Amino acid sequence: MKVTPSRALRVLLGVFICGVAIYSFFPGFAPRPNSVAFYLGKDASVTGVIMRHQAGKKSDKVTLERLTVNGEEVLDKVLLYLPAGAKAELGDKVGVHCNLYKPHPFADFQYDRWLAARQIFALCRSSNSPFVLEREAAQGPRVWLGNLHTTAVEYIDASIPDPHAQLLAGLLLGDNAFTDEWKEQFIRTGTSHVVAASGYNVALVSSLAFAFLVYAGLRRQYAFPFVIAAVAGFVIIAGAEAAVTRAGIMGVIGLSATQLGRKSSAKTALLLTAAIMLALEPRLLRDDPGFQLSVLSTMGLMAFAKPIAQKIDWIPERFGIRESFACTLAATLATLPISIFSFHRVSLVGPLTNLIILPFVPYAMATGTIGVLSQAVLNSLDLRSLPNLLAFPGWLLLEIILDVIQAMANLPFAVLNL
């Protein structure tokens, strides 16, 4: 039997309905009987293994797994807030005393449901660093990738100052460690996709890699494997988190469709991929904007990128400007409903802002990477005190991008509130 997009769509809907039924008959939308959630509101002695460590300027966020609470083994995860610069590392088994409390929605964002889709039902805030019970208690790909991501961020921070370092980390790794003020400016200018580990990043990386390789003289069919490698490299360096991995898979599907000229097959593969994800975790469809953006941005690339590129033939092809703008606009149009629903606003200056900054992005990424690598060499030679002159070109291009975003965000008509 031939698998058509309509049949795949029926499979997608059927799997989702079955998933909802399973979660209804079994405690899926609610914590499991032996979940950490049943210790909420209590002072507890918590031990667990650090499987994610997100450093911040004011505090660090640590995800603990393999939990025991007051000496009893429990399921699910705890999100632990620690003072910035906590000494514990990925893979360490740590202990901490704190009061477990329930996450709550804020600013129209269902934070509790978003965390529940990741099996996190309890938060824990401590004013002290945790005590390490066992160094490197857990190993494996997740720990290795997490350490690689942390090291890359450290080199970026050492090579250039903030907010340029934060922007470069967003471009290269999908990090989003900006202040609330800068996050607001990215939303007002429709450029949040540049610094979000989602389908936006994958679309940007793939389109820029394609444009660069084709401009360098490589035929598209020969450039395709290198573009796939670029997407895989981005996913790995970004830490291979669920959101960016999912975006990478869907991006590869979209690229394969374009390469093979079989849009229907790619749509089928995309729908089946989404069906599998929803079968494993139906809450993604309701509570995970990353899933929604990944699916819709990939569909937008397949449906709109080529027609848009044909309509904007007045934009030069040189340096891949037209293709990059077409891909960005296609992804933006496809994800517009989610953006409106999530942020309740539409950026009126988004297309113009993207058109201005996109030509600088590939060069900022390339020169920024050179600056980070040179910083790694200086660190390895114990020459950290020497100025990193190779980081200056990247800093300059990032400064231009930030200045444009700031100027456009300050326009009174930059955004339409809904």
Side-chain angles (χ1 to χ4, degrees):
M1 181 179 66
K2 183 178 179 181
V3 180
T4 63
S6 60
R7 288 197 179 103
L9 181 59
R10 288 197 291 269
V11 171
L12 171 65
L13 295 175
V15 169
F16 176 69
I17 292 172
C18 290
V20 172
I22 291 172
Y23 273 83
S24 299
F25 287 108
F26 299 97
F29 285 109
R32 292 172 283 188
N34 53 341
S35 170
V36 67
F38 293 97
Y39 292 85
L40 295 175
K42 301 178 181 178
D43 289 322
S45 176
V46 181
T47 66
V49 177
I50 298 177
M51 298 306 294
R52 187 180 183 191
H53 189 170
Q54 184 178 356
K57 301 302 179 183
K58 296 182 179 179
S59 63
D60 292 356
K61 291 193 293 186
V62 172
T63 302
L64 295 182
E65 301 182 21
R66 307 181 193 178
L67 298 173
T68 63
V69 178
N70 295 336
E72 297 183 10
E73 293 186 5
V74 297
L75 297 175
D76 301 320
K77 307 172 188 176
V78 165
L79 183 61
L80 174 62
Y81 288 86
L82 297 172
K87 300 298 182 183
E89 300 175 358
L90 284 174
D92 289 352
K93 183 177 182 181
V94 300
V96 64
H97 295 283
C98 64
N99 183 277
L100 296 173
Y101 62 98
K102 181 181 179 180
H104 294 285
F106 62 88
D108 295 327
F109 177 51
Q110 300 295 332
Y111 188 51
D112 53 340
R113 297 192 336 203
W114 184 82
L115 289 177
R118 290 154 177 78
Q119 288 75 51
I120 299 175
F121 291 97
L123 304 181
C124 176
R125 190 177 298 274
S126 176
S127 58
N128 300 314
S129 294
F131 49 91
V132 179
L133 301 174
E134 185 179 349
R135 180 68 68 184
E136 298 181 354
Q139 292 295 319
R142 288 179 62 190
V143 175
W144 181 81
L145 290 171
N147 286 326
L148 176 64
H149 181 93
T150 301
T151 302
V153 172
E154 290 175 352
Y155 285 146
I156 291 173
D157 289 338
S159 63
I160 53 177
D162 288 333
H164 307 76
Q166 294 167 339
L167 177 57
L168 184 58
L171 293 175
L172 298 179
L173 307 176
D175 272 24
N176 190 0
F178 282 96
T179 62
D180 292 340
E181 180 182 355
W182 271 107
K183 288 178 182 179
E184 174 68 15
Q185 295 190 51
F186 279 110
I187 293 173
R188 287 179 62 84
T189 55
T191 51
S192 298
H193 59 86
V194 176
V195 288
S198 67
Y200 286 123
N201 277 84
V202 172
L204 189 64
V205 169
S206 59
S207 61
L208 291 174
F210 245 134
F212 177 78
L213 292 169
V214 171
Y215 180 74
L218 205 63
R219 292 185 178 180
R220 293 187 69 90
Q221 60 266 34
Y222 299 126
F224 179 71
F226 295 101
V227 175
I228 297 298
V231 172
F234 169 75
V235 170
I236 291 174
I237 296 176
E241 294 290 342
V244 70
T245 300
R246 181 171 61 240
I249 293 173
M250 293 184 176
V252 168
I253 291 173
L255 288 169
S256 301
T258 303
Q259 180 67 16
L260 298 175
R262 301 179 65 181
K263 292 185 178 180
S264 61
S265 297
K267 292 175 183 176
T268 301
L270 176 62
L271 291 171
L272 289 177
T273 301
I276 293 171
M277 293 177 181
L278 292 176
L280 297 174
E281 180 51 84
R283 285 176 292 202
L284 292 175
L285 186 61
R286 184 190 67 173
D287 300 325
D288 192 339
F291 174 83
Q292 301 159 8
L293 292 173
S294 296
V295 174
L296 290 177
S297 62
T298 305
M299 294 180 69
L301 286 174
M302 289 188 288
F304 305 136
K306 188 174 180 179
I308 289 175
Q310 294 173 345
K311 294 291 185 181
I312 56 173
D313 53 0
W314 49 273
I315 297 178
E317 291 185 344
R318 190 177 179 85
F319 307 122
I321 296 176
R322 184 189 302 174
E323 184 174 359
S324 299
F325 183 69
C327 288
T328 301
L329 190 56
T332 301
L333 290 174
T335 57
L336 185 61
I338 301 299
S339 299
I340 294 174
F341 181 78
S342 300
F343 303 112
H344 308 294
R345 63 181 75 180
V346 177
S347 174
L348 300 180
V349 298
L352 178 59
T353 307
N354 280 281
L355 181 61
I356 296 173
I357 69 172
L358 277 177
F360 296 99
V361 169
Y363 300 102
M365 295 172 68
T367 55
T369 301
I370 293 173
V372 173
L373 293 176
S374 62
Q375 186 65 48
V377 172
L378 291 176
N379 286 9
S380 64
L381 298 176
D382 200 19
L383 299 174
R384 298 177 179 82
S385 59
L386 291 180
N388 187 357
L389 299 179
L390 293 178
F392 177 75
W395 174 89
L396 182 60
L397 290 170
L398 294 167
E399 172 71 14
I400 294 173
I401 294 173
L402 290 171
D403 285 346
V404 171
I405 291 174
Q406 193 170 44
M408 299 297 283
N410 289 334
L411 294 175
F413 55 85
V415 67
L416 175 64
N417 293 309
L418 301 175

